[in-house]
Amino acid sequence: MGRKIAIMGAGAVGGYAGAHMVQAGEDVTFIDPWPEHVAHMQKHGLRVTHARDVAEFSVHVRALHITDAQQLSREKPVDIAFVCTKSYDTAWATTLIAQYLAPDGFVVSLQNCMNEEIVARVVGWGKTLGCIASSITVNLPEPGHVHRGAGKGGAAHTVFRAGEVHGRITERASEICRLVGYADSATVTPNLWGERWSKLVANVMGNGLSACTGLSGGEMLESEPIRRFSTRLGSEAIRVGQAHGYQLEEILHLAPETIARAGEGDEDAMRACDAQRFADGKRISSGQRPSMGQDMQKGRRTEIDFMNGLVVREGAKVGISCRANAVLTDLVTRVERGELSADPRHITELRLN
């Protein structure tokens, strides 16, 4: 206790983790750019619900709009800043909070994608840590309300993995683990980059597909051509990660090599992937949408360039052509711009060589 914590971006992940910290008695300030969300939190607090097995709760929170963050200049400096914004907002969010950090304060990227380098450009590598939220399935359906489309991972699945960029186990990484551990199971990882790329693979397999088809996770699971395309997306991303030397971890409760071979046409691997994904689907609300599907529904900018687009760019660096990821990146971009409407046929009628 006693550490001053800032959450930059009180959306689904930031709101979920931060609300549990507040419930545990930690000193947390939420900073967010959505006026209605901030106003609701200031007046009514933050409400957290789950699709199953967990009672809802509400907490009174301190919430500031980004235009009011200047108040922090008159207060005790921030010890730990969690950046929980969309990837495209990482640079400005880190820049905003950096000026209020304590001399030994640091920034934690609690986001999708590979944003630690962006954070480090602002505050330096010595003040940069990462934290992955694996299979957390949260969304922000309305101002002041975070919903998780499942129960908690607990002993069955470690949700949060906190780590230093250099891989050593440190007191501050353990502190991050303790804080996010209020929300669900957590561990300190010596393999931040491998964990990061593994989570990227999982995102690559579902986020953009939901955005361009308009389907929920459960609906995508029921479509064989969409499942096959999803696996090909993951296979390409895994091969790129392996070529870059990342030590990949389990992805969607499957060995990375199983997904990679399935995407390359191995029938035994395809059956194993399907069996695991249908088993996982039973534990998550069928109507839950990946974050990019939620963004598309709300008319927000997507993270496609930081997910599937990143796989394509990183693949080019090591001579791997990522045709499926390139096609999906283009489709999502065109839907986002209004040139196409979200439609499952973008994938079910797609023919790739």
Side-chain angles (χ1 to χ4, degrees):
M1 301 294 181
R3 305 273 274 177
K4 184 167 183 175
I5 300 161
I7 305 260
M8 286 298 303
V13 173
Y16 187 79
H20 283 84
M21 293 179 206
V22 173
Q23 187 183 46
E26 300 290 345
D27 179 5
V28 181
T29 297
F30 294 90
I31 303 168
D32 197 82
W34 185 13
E36 291 82 3
H37 184 41
V38 171
H40 193 284
M41 287 190 290
Q42 290 173 339
K43 186 174 182 180
H44 303 289
L46 190 54
R47 176 181 170 225
V48 178
T49 61
H50 293 74
R52 60 187 65 184
D53 306 328
V54 183
E56 72 170 74
F57 70 90
S58 296
V59 287
H60 293 291
V61 300
R62 185 194 187 199
L64 300 176
H65 187 265
I66 55 172
T67 55
D68 295 319
Q70 58 186 298
Q71 295 178 23
L72 298 175
S73 66
R74 300 189 295 271
E75 303 173 8
K76 174 189 171 185
V78 172
D79 297 299
I80 304 171
F82 289 89
V83 173
C84 307
T85 62
K86 295 295 183 181
S87 295
Y88 47 77
D89 286 330
T90 303
W92 72 255
T94 306
T95 300
L96 189 153
I97 200 61
Q99 60 193 307
Y100 304 116
L101 284 179
D104 61 346
F106 55 90
V107 177
V108 183
S109 169
L110 181 54
Q111 303 166 279
N112 286 326
C113 311
M114 310 282 284
N115 294 317
E116 282 79 5
E117 184 173 354
I118 300 173
V119 172
R121 288 178 200 157
V122 178
V123 297
W125 284 110
K127 287 181 173 287
T128 301
L129 286 86
C131 186
I132 292 91
S134 172
S135 300
I136 194 168
T137 61
V138 289
N139 66 304
L140 191 70
E142 59 188 347
H145 177 200
V146 177
H147 179 72
R148 187 169 180 183
K152 295 203 176 190
H157 174 75
T158 302
V159 173
F160 295 101
R161 298 100 186 268
E164 296 272 8
V165 296
H166 46 60
R168 294 192 295 276
I169 305 300
T170 62
E171 287 187 11
R172 63 183 190 175
S174 297
E175 175 72 353
I176 296 309
C177 182
R178 182 185 72 81
L179 290 171
V180 295
Y182 290 130
D184 208 330
S185 50
T187 189
V188 178
T189 178
N191 183 30
L192 177 66
W193 299 111
E195 292 275 16
R196 268 283 179 233
W197 195 269
S198 300
K199 175 63 188 293
L200 180 73
V201 174
N203 282 330
V204 156
M205 292 175 67
N207 266 277
L209 281 175
S210 179
C212 82
T213 63
L215 299 179
S216 67
E219 291 168 334
M220 291 191 295
L221 188 61
E222 293 299 325
S223 169
E224 182 174 359
I226 291 177
R227 286 200 315 276
R228 295 287 168 263
F229 189 73
S230 168
T231 305
R232 180 167 172 179
L233 293 167
S235 178
E236 290 179 353
I238 287 166
R239 294 306 186 208
V240 172
Q242 290 171 336
H244 277 288
Y246 294 126
Q247 179 187 332
L248 299 183
E249 304 284 350
E250 189 178 78
I251 299 165
L252 300 177
H253 304 120
L254 288 159
E257 192 62 26
T258 300
I259 299 173
R261 292 201 314 270
E264 293 161 353
D266 184 299
E267 292 187 3
D268 288 340
M270 289 166 67
R271 284 191 289 271
C273 282
D274 280 352
Q276 185 61 56
R277 295 185 73 178
F278 277 111
D280 288 344
K282 294 177 181 178
R283 294 191 286 269
I284 299 172
S285 170
S286 62
Q288 179 73 21
R289 293 175 186 273
S291 59
M292 201 182 298
Q294 298 171 34
D295 292 337
M296 193 69 83
Q297 274 194 324
K298 296 173 181 177
R300 297 186 60 185
R301 179 182 174 186
T302 73
E303 292 180 294
I304 193 67
D305 284 334
F306 294 84
M307 289 186 185
N308 304 79
L310 177 68
V311 170
V312 176
R313 295 191 298 275
E314 292 300 312
K317 294 178 183 178
V318 291
I320 297 177
S321 175
C322 299
R323 175 71 172 146
N325 280 277
V327 168
L328 184 66
T329 300
D330 178 65
L331 283 169
V332 172
T333 300
R334 293 167 67 189
V335 173
E336 188 176 0
R337 291 174 177 169
E339 298 170 8
L340 297 173
S341 297
D343 193 321
R345 289 178 296 179
H346 295 320
I347 303 302
T348 58
E349 298 180 3
L350 184 64
R351 298 292 179 266
L352 290 181
N353 54 23

